[in-house]
Amino acid sequence: MKKLICLFMMALVVGACDEGFDELNVNPTRPPQIAAANKLTAVQKFISSERYDNWRAGMIYQSTMMQHIATTAGYWDGDKYTWNRGYASSLMDRYYGNAIKTIEDLMFQLDQEEAPDEMKAIVRIMRVFAFSRLTDLYGDVPYSEAGKAVLEGIFLPKYDAQSEIYPDMLNELEESAAALSSGTSGFGAADVIYNGDQAKWKKLANSLMLRLGLRLIKVDPAAAQSWATKAIAGGVMESNDDIFYLQHDNNNRNGISEVFAADGNPRMSKTFIDFLQAGNDPRLPILAARRGDGSTAAEDLIGFPNGLNSAMLLEMTGEENTDAYAEPNRDILAAFEAPMIFQTYAEVQFMIAESNVRWGIGGDAETAYNNGVRAAMKQLSLYTDAATIADADIDTYLAANPYDAANAIEQIANQYWVATFLNEYETFSNWRRVGFPTLVPVNFPGNETGGTIPRRLTWTENEAAVNADNYQAAIAAQGPDILTTRVWWDVE
């Protein structure tokens, strides 16, 4: 009996010691799981990213290739079609280490926590947006195995073919749109883009579907029409209130604004300024200012030719500096709290106009075109009230530059080019898709492309050594890792 009592007492002691053991066994130096809502905020900021890739891939390369910006600075390689591999791969370097990794981790967490489908849908839309930027810029990229080093132990992801990535992204958008309603998401205010408004996310899903569907216009016109029809019918952005953008603040600065703060070399391209001046565009004094004294008078705004260095400028003009030329208007565009814009209602209206021209869908092309121009001018007030353009000035512009049905695709694309200034990822993609605006290539000495505008940027140099087998397989599938290799949807 005494033995049984001892055994009973020992069980109580062991039980008492075991109570709370899980808590005691937690490493106090290791943080607990971060809340899913906080991870969403991080993802949205990671997608806007920082000065590093906005400077290199966004501004140095794409803004100058698309002749929004020009400069004599030698390290601005895109202005001259020279090759700095580290600059060209900068989006890939930043997105995979930050945005993609966090998105995949967040998706896993939402599954584990059995979160509502609407929360998962928002993250899936963000995932599509991030991957669309990557694949549009580089072509074949790690997709199905990306961001899963911790989750699945995949440290050397394969490169998926863009021809397989695109259908999956479009299906993701379709399913995400179907999962969203008109209520407020469980993410709430942690969603720093739409504040949890499911209806806005649903419109974004369809608007991105329209963008990606139209990307297919050269490689699969029937699929492009099908996806455009589905997107428009599903409900796309309806006003500038639906614009997909991140509002920055002084604690989370706009990466492009940080470029302007660090680099005084960018000037407005002659191609861009000439276009705005030819139409007496009221956006000109908002977008541009003379470098020397800040004047925004139209007669003072001179665009700088692309493809020159300082020696060539001196030989051509006798000038030794570029202070007399226009630069981006720093008083309006360069504030650290400026918005980072990803997709706009104006772009959607231009795509609807194009869809009507091509296939007769989406409503009247002229109406959509006019709506797009008006919205593109009005959206500048996101930067500051000083950038507000009066309705009467927009009416005057549209009357002087009316819709031209005979040249509709070019006219729409030209306005798209203006509307996407500083969203150079989209500018570059849309130019490759439709071939407008008509840009004049440069033939800078020693350029990498034979004097043709690049068609993509190049993968991370490290991949050739660290992920060699998958890197070489991607080259075998897509073509050489150079600036002139075309991505799948950019067929000749």
Side-chain angles (χ1 to χ4, degrees):
M1 182 68 179
K2 185 176 181 180
K3 187 175 181 181
L4 288 173
I5 293 173
C6 288
L7 289 172
F8 178 70
M9 292 298 293
M10 186 179 293
L12 289 176
V13 171
V14 171
C17 290
D18 187 59
E19 185 176 344
F21 180 77
D22 289 343
E23 288 78 6
L24 292 172
N25 200 40
V26 172
N27 184 346
T29 65
R30 182 178 178 182
Q33 175 69 285
I34 297 171
N38 292 341
K39 286 183 182 176
L40 178 73
T41 306
V43 164
Q44 293 174 339
K45 293 179 178 180
F46 282 147
I47 283 175
S48 180
S49 205
E50 57 192 278
R51 186 178 74 178
Y52 182 84
D53 45 312
N54 279 299
W55 197 352
R56 291 160 175 79
M59 298 300 291
I60 285 177
Y61 266 106
Q62 293 175 92
S63 77
T64 56
M65 295 187 314
M66 293 297 95
Q67 296 176 19
H68 280 149
I69 298 294
T71 177
T72 59
Y75 62 92
W76 280 68
D77 298 275
D79 202 37
K80 304 156 186 71
Y81 315 155
T82 51
W83 191 16
N84 183 314
R85 190 153 193 161
Y87 288 6
S89 68
S90 60
L91 181 76
M92 189 175 187
D93 298 336
R94 282 298 186 266
Y95 260 33
Y96 279 107
N98 293 330
I100 300 303
K101 176 181 177 297
T102 308
I103 286 169
E104 295 299 331
D105 181 54
L106 177 53
M107 286 298 300
F108 178 81
Q109 182 174 343
L110 292 175
D111 284 340
Q112 292 295 301
E113 295 176 357
E114 299 182 347
D117 286 344
E118 54 87 0
M119 294 177 71
K120 296 177 185 178
I122 289 172
V123 180
R124 291 167 78 182
I125 294 166
M126 294 297 297
R127 180 177 182 272
V128 168
F129 176 76
F131 272 115
S132 69
R133 271 199 168 178
L134 287 163
T135 189
D136 285 344
L137 195 57
Y138 299 107
D140 296 359
V141 292
Y143 180 73
S144 60
E145 296 181 349
K148 297 181 179 177
V150 174
L151 296 175
E152 299 182 24
I154 301 175
F155 296 98
L156 302 174
K158 68 178 181 178
Y159 285 60
D160 295 87
Q162 189 179 68
S163 59
E164 298 174 358
I165 294 172
Y166 251 77
D168 190 72
M169 291 194 301
L170 286 160
N171 285 328
E172 283 286 288
L173 292 172
E174 183 176 19
E175 291 180 7
S176 296
L180 291 161
S181 67
S182 58
T184 300
S185 163
F187 284 122
D191 168 15
V192 292
I193 291 177
Y194 287 134
N195 204 36
D197 189 330
Q198 290 190 56
K200 290 186 183 294
W201 280 105
K202 188 181 187 76
K203 286 184 277 190
L204 175 62
N206 288 317
S207 299
L208 287 173
M209 186 191 300
L210 180 58
R211 173 190 280 183
L212 300 188
L214 286 178
R215 287 277 200 272
L216 309 180
I217 194 67
K218 292 196 293 187
V219 71
D220 191 344
Q225 179 180 355
S226 175
W227 283 109
T229 302
K230 187 179 298 186
I232 294 169
V236 292
M237 292 182 187
E238 298 175 328
S239 73
N240 279 353
D241 290 339
D242 297 328
I243 292 175
F244 178 34
Y245 75 99
L246 178 67
Q247 184 66 56
H248 285 270
D249 55 47
N250 204 44
N251 295 317
N252 176 40
R253 296 177 172 183
N254 181 300
I256 295 175
S257 299
E258 290 191 311
V259 173
F260 292 142
D263 195 332
N265 288 301
R267 299 292 178 267
M268 300 292 273
S269 170
K270 177 176 170 33
T271 308
F272 194 29
I273 293 293
D274 286 355
F275 180 85
L276 295 173
Q277 287 180 332
N280 196 23
D281 196 310
R283 287 170 287 195
L284 179 58
I286 293 173
L287 300 179
R290 186 162 61 187
R291 171 67 177 181
D293 60 7
S295 173
T296 59
E299 62 271 18
D300 292 337
L301 299 176
I302 304 170
F304 190 75
N306 288 92
L308 302 180
N309 60 21
S310 296
M312 295 166 71
L313 173 66
L314 182 62
E315 181 180 353
M316 179 184 295
T317 66
E319 297 170 337
E320 295 187 281
N321 66 56
T322 59
D323 286 352
Y325 294 89
E327 67 173 356
N329 188 338
R330 292 169 181 270
D331 288 341
I332 290 176
L333 302 175
F336 289 140
E337 64 271 19
M340 184 69 77
I341 297 173
F342 307 120
Q343 189 179 27
T344 66
Y345 168 64
E347 294 169 50
V348 170
Q349 285 296 299
F350 291 137
M351 289 187 286
I352 290 174
E354 178 185 338
S355 298
N356 182 262
V357 172
R358 292 185 184 278
W359 306 301
I361 63 174
D364 179 64
E366 181 175 0
T367 300
Y369 171 82
N370 290 337
N371 288 343
V373 172
R374 186 175 300 277
M377 292 186 180
K378 286 292 188 182
Q379 75 189 31
L380 293 173
S381 64
L382 290 175
Y383 287 94
T384 171
D385 289 343
T388 300
I389 298 175
D391 288 331
D393 292 335
I394 301 174
D395 292 340
T396 298
Y397 177 83
L398 287 171
N401 302 274
Y403 176 74
D404 179 7
N407 298 288
I409 298 297
E410 180 176 5
Q411 187 182 36
I412 293 165
N414 287 345
Q415 289 294 337
Y416 200 101
W417 173 64
V418 178
T420 54
F421 175 56
L422 297 184
N423 182 8
E424 305 299 334
Y425 294 99
E426 182 57 23
T427 307
F428 184 38
S429 290
N430 203 62
W431 174 80
R432 286 177 289 163
R433 182 181 72 84
V434 294
F436 296 113
T438 301
L439 304 175
V440 180
V442 306
N443 199 15
F444 187 81
N447 73 81
E448 294 283 335
T449 68
T452 63
I453 299 173
R455 308 303 296 195
R456 68 184 283 268
L457 296 189
T458 52
W459 295 311
T460 305
E461 186 174 17
N462 229 19
E463 286 286 278
V466 176
N467 194 12
D469 289 345
N470 288 321
Y471 175 78
Q472 291 300 328
I475 288 175
Q478 178 170 276
D481 189 17
I482 57 178
L483 299 174
T484 52
T485 296
R486 290 174 178 250
V487 304
W488 166 74
W489 55 254
D490 182 26
V491 296
E492 294 189 66

